[in-house]
């Protein structure tokens, strides 16, 4: 501290300005696509390629809400939103319903034949497998069960891919909970089930919430299986955005609006659950 | 209330044997302390009593009935963990009431018993708080209340005072002992702190490497330690232990001969003499020179260079009366001398050494 204070003010001011400059540049770089989507979405199709410069509404072109009105009132976009919501929530719930008990078992019990760590790594290895390798098998399986173009098919597939992640994260969460708390439950008269339900689960709640959110985001953005396994009824938002193409080429005005609509739910949830995410994701890192 | 018996209990974790063979009887209403350094198997023993660990061999008896495979929840044992293990997401009331939930106790009675238990350990005004809002001492009391609320047949305390500051430890020590005497509940305390063990327990089980070194009253362990280990572990400041050789009624320590009385011991021995049993004297005894002074308030510890080697001497009374470099004489009473066989490290009974020069 003393050394810093001893430095000339001018020098420190320069360093600080440089830092600010970099920060502003980075921020602009990150926010520009959002800005461009907003600007694009407010333009008449005719203005798409004719507006030069930064495309500032009112300065460069007359903004219109037509694209938004069209998109928000179209049954296709509503159905895509509904599908995405159902699929993402369903996949997260399913993955956590299966993953939480699995993670707890891996953290607290010793399996006889295969060491726990091997089972954990096997779970993790599911994430190493390139999803594209499983597209055709999944397609065939879903066709055999008559599940093509259903929300259930996408829920099952997304849950399959999110599950290993949930197991690995939550296993660490449970490992970090003090064992004595659960031992206390056993001595107090409870069973392993009580120890899990009444003590371990509530204490792992922040981590479970964070995992749920990440699962949600993963399923929300999933494209490969959504486009393969659905044709109309179960189309999700990413496929819907990619579908902003007609015989005249890419409809940038619609694509921009759809992309912005698609962003709203995850951002809202993330803002609401912010407190939990930070706590949940640092739970494994910092031991209390 | 219960009598507890370990009959040749063994405990292994995989290939590691923690308790090779342990037999121990605890009377109804007795306060027993398991004392030993970390890793000596005292906590493992406690967890076997709680039903958290199952013994690998032998029989564990509660009131004469074998409980080896009885689940923790069916043993009616109360436990206070070192970390207290209060449920952080529940209020103090819910924490204390938790064990009663499994006993199908009606709500009104739950409330009455929780209040009684809270009253007993003086946390009645904290019932609506959460554990994180309590001080260490208060958490400890709540943990005690939770252990006692179900009228346990056996109360287990795992290093209950180690997380408290020194002054609070003193208070809780007295309180726990008073509570135990009032409730007459069979209690097992695990500690590595000899002062905790000697001040609270009726009987101490001193353990090392999974084996019982000695079972006895605090007085027994101090006066007649069965082994070198117990002698070294019990007593503060620690006992002086000096290697020597006994032959022909003489004890040679550091080339200095001492007279050996009583049944003569022979061979390699260890001479043990507690610092508080050594006195400075004007004449007789052994010549020595003060090396170092450690004032301890009420008493002073001197490290002296003597013909027997470096030796610790404790002198009571405030203020150091001697200075480093001072030449003095020290002596001890033969009955305070302990001799241990080297190798087996056990106490040799009947032997006495005196300072009379050989």
């Amino acid at each position: 501290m003393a050394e810093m204070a001893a430095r000339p003010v001018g020098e420190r001011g320069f360093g600080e300005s440089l830092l600010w400059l970099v920060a502003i540049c980075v921020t602009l770089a990150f926010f520009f696509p959002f800005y461009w989507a907003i600007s694009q979405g407010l333009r008449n199709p005719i203005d798409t390629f004719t507006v030069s410069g930064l495309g500032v509404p009112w300065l460069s072109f007359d903004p219109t809400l037509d694209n938004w009105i069209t998109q928000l009132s179209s049954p296709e976009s509503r159905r895509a939103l509904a599908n995405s919501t159902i699929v993402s929530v369903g996949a997260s719930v399913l993955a956590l319903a299966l993953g939480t008990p699995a993670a707890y078992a891996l953290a607290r019990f010793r399996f006889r034949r295969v060491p726990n760590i091997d089972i954990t790594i096997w779970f993790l290895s599911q994430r190493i497998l390139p999803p594209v390798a499983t597209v055709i098998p999944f397609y065939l399986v879903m066709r055999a069960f008559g599940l093509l173009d259903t929300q259930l098919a996408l829920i099952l597939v997304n849950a399959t891919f999110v599950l290993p992640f949930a197991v690995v994260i939550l296993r660490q969460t449970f490992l970090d909970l003090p064992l004595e708390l659960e031992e206390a439950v056993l001595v107090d008269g409870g069973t392993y089930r009580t120890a899990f339900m009444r003590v371990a689960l509530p204490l792992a709640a922040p981590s479970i919430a964070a995992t749920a959110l990440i699962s949600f985001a993963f399923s929300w953005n999933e494209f490969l299986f959504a486009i393969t396994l659905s044709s109309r009824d179960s189309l999700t938002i990413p496929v819907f955005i990619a579908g902003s193409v007609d015989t005249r080429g890419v409809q940038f005005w619609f694509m921009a609006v759809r992309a912005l609509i698609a962003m709203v739910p995850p951002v809202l949830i993330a803002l609401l659950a912010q407190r939990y995410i930070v706590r949940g994701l640092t739970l494994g890192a910092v031991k209390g | 209330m219960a009598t507890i018996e370990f009959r040749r209990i063994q405990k292994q974790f995989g290939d590691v044997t923690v308790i090779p063979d342990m037999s121990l009887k605890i009377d109804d209403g007795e306060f027993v302390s398991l004392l030993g350094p970390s890793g000596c198997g005292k906590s493992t023993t406690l967890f076997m009593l709680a039903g958290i660990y199952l013994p690998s061999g032998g029989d564990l008896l509660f009131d004469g009935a074998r409980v080896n495979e009885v689940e923790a929840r069916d043993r009616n044992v109360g436990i206070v963990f070192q970390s207290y293990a209060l449920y952080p997401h529940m209020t103090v009331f819910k924490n204390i009431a938790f064990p009663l939930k499994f006993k199908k106790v009606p709500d009104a009675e739950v409330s009455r018993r929780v209040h009684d238990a809270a009253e007993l350990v003086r946390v009645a005004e904290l019932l609506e708080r959460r554990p994180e809002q309590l001080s260490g001492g208060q958490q400890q009391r709540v943990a005690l209340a939770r252990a006692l609320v179900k009228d346990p047949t056996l109360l287990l305390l795992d290093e209950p005072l180690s997380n408290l500051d020194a002054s609070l430890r003193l208070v809780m020590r007295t309180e726990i002992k008073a509570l135990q005497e009032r409730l007459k509940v069979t209690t097992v305390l695990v500690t590595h702190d000899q002062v905790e063990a000697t001040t609270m327990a009726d009987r101490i089980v001193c353990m090392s490497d999974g084996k019982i070194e000695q079972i006895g009253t605090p007085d027994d362990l101090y006066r007649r330690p069965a082994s070198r280990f117990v002698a070294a572990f019990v007593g503060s400041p620690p006992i002086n232990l000096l290697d020597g050789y006994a032959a022909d009624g003489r004890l040679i320590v550091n080339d200095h001969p001492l007279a050996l009385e009583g049944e003569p011991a022979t061979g390699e021995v260890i001479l043990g003499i507690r610092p508080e049993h050594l006195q400075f004297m004007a004449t007789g005894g052994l010549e020595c020179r003060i090396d170092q002074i450690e004032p301890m308030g009420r008493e002073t510890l001197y490290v002296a260079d003597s013909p027997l080697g470096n030796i610790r001497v404790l002198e009571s009374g405030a203020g150091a009366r001697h200075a480093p470099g001072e030449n003095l004489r020290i002596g001890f009473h033969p009955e305070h001398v302990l001799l241990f066989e080297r190798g087996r490290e056990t106490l040799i009974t009947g032997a006495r050494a005196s300072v009379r020069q050989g």
Side-chain angles (χ1 to χ4, degrees):
Chain A
M1 281 310 278
E3 202 183 326
M4 260 179 74
R7 276 160 56 194
V9 178
E11 194 184 324
R12 195 170 60 189
F14 174 72
E16 222 164 80
S17 323
L18 199 70
L19 211 66
W20 271 103
L21 196 69
V22 172
I24 288 166
C25 289
V26 169
T27 313
L28 283 180
F30 273 103
F31 276 96
F32 187 75
F34 295 97
Y35 164 75
W36 198 247
I38 291 166
S39 162
Q40 196 70 257
L42 293 173
R43 294 182 210 173
N44 273 316
I46 200 159
D47 289 329
T48 305
F49 300 110
T50 56
V51 173
S52 61
L54 287 174
V56 184
W58 285 287
L59 287 179
S60 315
F61 62 92
D62 283 331
T64 166
L65 285 175
D66 283 355
N67 299 324
W68 283 89
I69 292 161
T70 317
Q71 283 307 314
L72 287 174
S73 57
S74 90
E76 286 84 9
S77 73
R78 286 186 191 175
R79 191 168 59 201
L81 264 180
N83 281 337
S84 272
T85 309
I86 291 165
V87 166
S88 306
V89 171
S92 309
V93 169
L94 183 60
L96 285 170
L98 296 174
T100 313
Y104 185 73
L106 282 173
R108 287 290 187 248
F109 301 104
R110 199 167 347 146
F111 289 86
R112 272 183 214 283
R113 293 244 173 78
V114 188
N116 286 24
I117 190 69
D118 290 357
I119 303 178
T120 311
I121 289 172
W122 175 76
F123 268 109
L124 198 62
S125 71
Q126 307 298 305
R127 298 290 295 144
I128 299 165
L129 184 74
V132 73
T134 63
V135 165
I136 292 171
F138 267 122
Y139 182 87
L140 296 175
V141 168
M142 293 306 171
R143 195 182 57 181
F145 284 100
L147 290 175
L148 285 180
D149 205 16
T150 62
Q151 294 160 342
L152 181 61
L154 290 181
I155 289 176
L156 289 174
V157 170
N158 280 320
T160 309
F161 282 97
V162 167
L163 187 62
F165 173 77
V167 169
V168 171
I169 293 259
L170 293 176
R171 170 181 166 270
Q172 194 56 47
T173 303
F174 287 126
L175 279 179
D176 290 343
L177 291 180
L179 187 60
E180 289 189 341
L181 286 178
E182 289 152 61
E183 288 172 346
V185 175
L186 300 183
V187 175
D188 282 348
T191 57
Y192 285 106
R193 182 190 293 270
T194 341
F196 173 63
M197 297 297 285
R198 303 288 295 274
V199 173
L201 208 53
L203 292 178
S207 201
I208 293 174
T211 312
L213 194 75
I214 293 167
S215 308
F216 179 89
F218 174 89
S219 310
W220 185 266
N221 292 328
E222 203 284 322
F223 180 75
L224 181 63
F225 287 96
I227 198 165
T228 325
L229 300 180
S230 50
S231 44
R232 204 182 75 92
D233 292 343
S234 69
L235 274 187
T236 57
I237 281 277
V239 182
F240 183 60
I241 296 171
S244 318
V245 185
D246 68 359
T247 46
R248 290 173 295 163
V250 181
Q251 296 170 298
F252 284 104
W253 46 96
F254 284 155
M255 188 176 266
V257 171
R258 289 172 185 183
L260 288 171
I261 292 173
M263 265 185 266
V264 172
V267 168
L268 272 184
I269 297 175
L271 285 178
L272 288 174
Q274 206 176 23
R275 206 160 55 95
Y276 288 109
I277 302 171
V278 176
R279 254 174 70 194
L281 292 184
T282 50
L283 201 71
V286 188
K287 291 201 176 181
Chain B
M1 315 296 125
T3 61
I4 310 294
E5 189 178 349
F6 288 81
R7 258 190 217 158
R8 312 211 60 181
I9 285 285
Q10 297 166 27
K11 179 63 189 172
Q12 281 115 22
F13 292 101
D15 296 335
V16 184
T17 301
V18 179
I19 309 281
D21 182 356
M22 180 170 177
S23 295
L24 173 68
K25 261 188 174 172
I26 299 170
D27 286 338
D28 188 20
E30 199 180 11
F31 195 144
V32 166
S33 166
L34 303 179
L35 175 69
S38 49
C40 75
K42 55 190 194 300
S43 289
T44 305
T45 309
L46 193 84
F47 286 152
M48 281 196 282
L49 282 172
I52 295 169
Y53 295 162
L54 303 180
S56 316
D59 296 309
L60 181 59
L61 311 174
F62 280 20
D63 280 329
R66 189 182 137 103
V67 296
N68 282 36
E69 280 84 31
V70 175
E71 301 259 13
R73 63 173 180 274
D74 299 323
R75 290 193 186 188
N76 198 30
V77 163
I79 188 166
V80 176
F81 288 92
Q82 184 170 8
S83 64
Y84 316 138
L86 297 178
Y87 309 122
H89 55 303
M90 300 182 195
T91 60
V92 168
F93 182 94
K94 286 194 173 147
N95 262 285
I96 301 177
F98 197 73
L100 299 177
K101 281 199 181 299
F102 306 103
K103 293 199 160 186
K104 303 206 165 35
V105 178
D107 283 355
E109 203 194 327
V110 168
S111 173
R112 185 182 59 74
R113 284 172 71 174
V114 169
H115 280 97
D116 285 353
E119 208 71 59
L120 198 67
V121 296
R122 299 192 279 120
V123 291
E125 70 286 1
L126 305 173
L127 287 175
E128 293 315 310
R129 302 243 194 122
R130 283 182 182 261
E132 64 191 18
Q133 299 166 315
L134 303 180
S135 70
Q138 290 168 333
Q139 290 186 23
Q140 156 101 79
R141 288 162 199 269
V142 173
L144 257 174
R146 186 179 66 184
L148 290 171
V149 74
K150 57 182 172 184
D151 293 326
T153 50
L154 175 63
L155 178 64
L156 303 175
L157 308 170
D158 185 13
E159 305 264 7
L161 306 179
S162 61
N163 285 342
L164 301 178
D165 60 53
S167 59
L168 199 53
R169 205 176 294 173
L170 216 75
V171 175
M172 285 312 293
R173 210 164 76 188
T174 319
E175 279 192 25
I176 291 175
K177 188 172 166 74
L179 203 60
Q180 195 273 338
E181 274 168 9
R182 186 139 60 99
L183 300 175
K184 292 262 168 277
V185 55
T186 312
T187 303
V188 178
L189 165 82
V190 157
T191 181
H192 63 270
D193 183 341
Q194 44 145 334
V195 182
E196 269 173 35
T198 52
T199 50
M200 292 162 81
D202 302 323
R203 249 180 350 141
I204 296 174
V205 178
C206 190
M207 295 177 71
S208 135
D209 285 337
K211 290 189 271 292
I212 295 178
E213 292 275 336
Q214 186 173 9
I215 306 173
T217 62
D219 212 43
D220 291 339
L221 266 69
Y222 177 78
R223 283 180 200 278
R224 307 299 297 161
S227 66
R228 199 195 85 99
F229 176 84
V230 179
F233 201 77
V234 177
S236 169
I239 191 168
N240 293 296
L241 291 169
L242 306 158
D243 285 348
Y245 188 84
D248 308 329
R250 296 210 303 181
L251 175 63
I252 320 281
V253 179
N254 200 22
D255 293 336
H256 187 88
L258 298 173
L260 205 53
E261 296 168 357
E263 279 172 45
T266 52
E268 307 262 294
V269 294
I270 299 161
L271 168 77
I273 176 95
R274 296 196 183 275
E276 55 270 37
H277 291 150
L278 287 160
Q279 296 103 33
F280 292 117
M281 41 211 257
T283 55
L286 299 159
E287 273 183 18
C288 73
R289 196 170 142 272
I290 309 272
D291 260 357
Q292 210 183 320
I293 298 183
E294 291 176 21
M296 296 165 67
R298 191 164 41 82
E299 43 211 15
T300 310
L301 183 69
Y302 299 91
V303 181
D305 189 20
S306 80
L308 304 178
N310 272 332
I311 200 162
R312 284 179 296 272
V313 183
L314 190 71
E315 196 178 51
S316 52
R321 266 163 285 180
H322 308 288
E326 204 175 321
N327 286 310
L328 289 164
R329 303 189 74 83
I330 45 168
F332 49 84
H333 203 279
E335 76 180 24
H336 285 140
V337 167
L338 301 165
L339 280 181
F340 302 97
E341 205 173 311
R342 216 178 320 163
R344 282 176 61 216
E345 316 265 287
T346 50
L347 185 72
I348 302 167
T349 49
R352 298 273 186 273
S354 78
V355 286
R356 192 158 41 80
Q357 305 238 338

